[in-house]
Amino acid sequence: MKKWQRWTIRGIALTAGCLGLFWSSTTASANAINTYIGNQDYSTPKIKKAYQSVLPQNKYRHNKPEGVVVHETANPNSNIFGEISYMTSHYNNAFVHTFVDASNIINIANTKYLCWGAGPVANQRYVQFEQVEVHSKSAFASELNNAAYYTAYILKQYGLTPKRYTTVLSHHDVSNQLGGTNHTDPDGYWSTNARKYFGTTYNMTDFVSLVKSQYASLGGTTDNTTTDETPDESTQHTVAKPKTVKYYHGGNNETATLANNYTNWTVYNHVKGTNGARKIGWSNLSSDYRGAKVYVDSRGVKKGGWSGTWYRIRFSKNSGYKYWVYNKVLNFPKVSYSDANGTPTLKTTKNYALYNHVLNSDYLSKTMAHTQDFKAETTAKINKKGYKSSDGSTWYRVAVAGNTYWAKSTSLNLN
């Protein structure tokens, strides 16, 4: 199965006649494969520009890329031209900017615009390329050299320097550090070929060292200190709040699942149609994410002629990058509402939470008070009932001391 079929949510133009460069005199890491590459005195192929007109053109979050993400196709039975053909026909699922093998560097999408190959967080930040699987010692070494050259070329083109986790990441790094995807390439491919052809290992630290050597060949200067930076989260954008959208923020780490029956949904950096909003990926909901659990912290309700409800989601409970999806992408626990009445008292033996909405409903809830805040006045008046079928819980909207709250039935003494 092609990697493109397994992905769910995956753009300065490169010159077509870029001159090939020979191996730099700058020493790469002591890894045996890097040493072998250096001893071969490899040249690199010209970067061939072959833009595919069907590919969309969406802007990065800061209007230019912030680094490079490295992939591999996970398809041992194809070649670079077959992979390009397949991806071009299935770009709605995923696409990258460039493909690399032992003899070619073929740039099919203008790196001035983002691609979608590593999830919505990385898509809006990074140029991305695929390594096609090769099957010999010399081909593997040559492909790594070409991949390192292309990475260095992009970094130099955009005024960046090679730094692990910051400007050079694997798809696995994205999964671990940024989220929004769960792939682990190119780790397995590198490890298998390194062991098979060289009897050693190969990882991203070795690759970044190779990138630094190629970067020096291009006239760039680097800090050769080994780095283990984590992604710079201080550059995350806060959500814009245009007057045409009303926002409601939850405070209880509420969850939903990605829909099983909604296709071709699009992920945005802000609510679609607001100032600065742009696509950062989309998906046809393949098996990787169908039904996946996400955490939801904000709801945006559009006003005017383009009404609709959007939610801000993330994949990690207490951290992770956030992005916006249309309400039909998500399934929340269903709550059935009905009229009700009664005059219960609040239980104050424990400090039960009182909310502005039913907890973990599509309204999103905030904790507004606690039962022990009302020891002097515990009598409440019911005016609405909610039943949540996912856990069988019953909720009541109660008026107490001039305010209205939603309380779980277990926090009330019901008459």
Side-chain angles (χ1 to χ4, degrees), residues 348-389:
T348 58
T349 53
K350 292 184 179 180
N351 205 22
Y352 294 98
L354 301 172
Y355 307 90
N356 62 337
H357 292 292
V358 174
L359 181 64
N360 210 52
S361 68
D362 56 5
Y363 286 103
L364 302 184
S365 70
K366 281 186 176 181
T367 302
M368 307 303 292
H370 293 83
T371 57
Q372 290 184 353
D373 297 336
F374 302 100
K375 284 186 175 181
E377 185 175 355
T378 60
T379 301
K381 185 175 181 179
I382 293 173
N383 54 36
K384 203 79 173 177
K385 178 181 178 179
Y387 175 75
K388 193 160 63 171
S389 57

Side-chain angles (χ1 to χ4, degrees), residues 3-4 28 44 53 161 214 252 335 357 364 374 395:
K3 180 178 182 181
W4 304 109
T44 51
S53 60
T161 57
Q214 288 287 7
N252 289 294
V335 182
H357 292 292
L364 302 184
F374 302 100
W395 294 73

Side-chain angles (χ1 to χ4, degrees), residues 82-132:
E83 290 295 333
I84 290 172
S85 176
Y86 186 87
M87 189 219 69
T88 303
S89 299
H90 297 79
Y91 72 91
N92 283 350
N93 296 344
F95 72 97
V96 295
H97 295 101
T98 301
F99 285 79
V100 176
D101 66 8
S103 305
N104 301 279
I105 302 173
I106 304 178
N107 170 219
I108 65 169
N110 194 333
T111 60
K112 181 179 178 181
Y113 305 104
L114 62 82
C115 68
W116 39 75
V121 180
N123 291 347
Q124 64 178 324
R125 298 177 62 177
Y126 296 108
V127 171
Q128 300 176 47
F129 72 90
E130 284 280 354
Q131 297 164 101
V132 178

Side-chain angles (χ1 to χ4, degrees), residues 320-334:
Y321 286 76
K322 301 175 181 181
Y323 32 93
W324 288 87
V325 295
Y326 187 50
N327 72 87
K328 289 186 178 180
V329 173
L330 300 178
N331 289 325
F332 285 90
K334 182 176 176 56

Side-chain angles (χ1 to χ4, degrees), residues 20 42 47 62 65 90 97 99 102 133 157 164 193 230 232 234 246 274 294 321 324 328 371 400 410:
Y42 282 123
I47 297 172
H62 295 325
H90 297 79
H97 295 101
F99 285 79
E133 292 201 3
Q157 186 81 5
R164 176 78 193 279
N193 277 11
T230 54
D232 180 9
S234 65
K246 187 171 183 179
T274 61
V294 293
Y321 286 76
W324 288 87
K328 289 186 178 180
T371 57
V400 57
T410 53

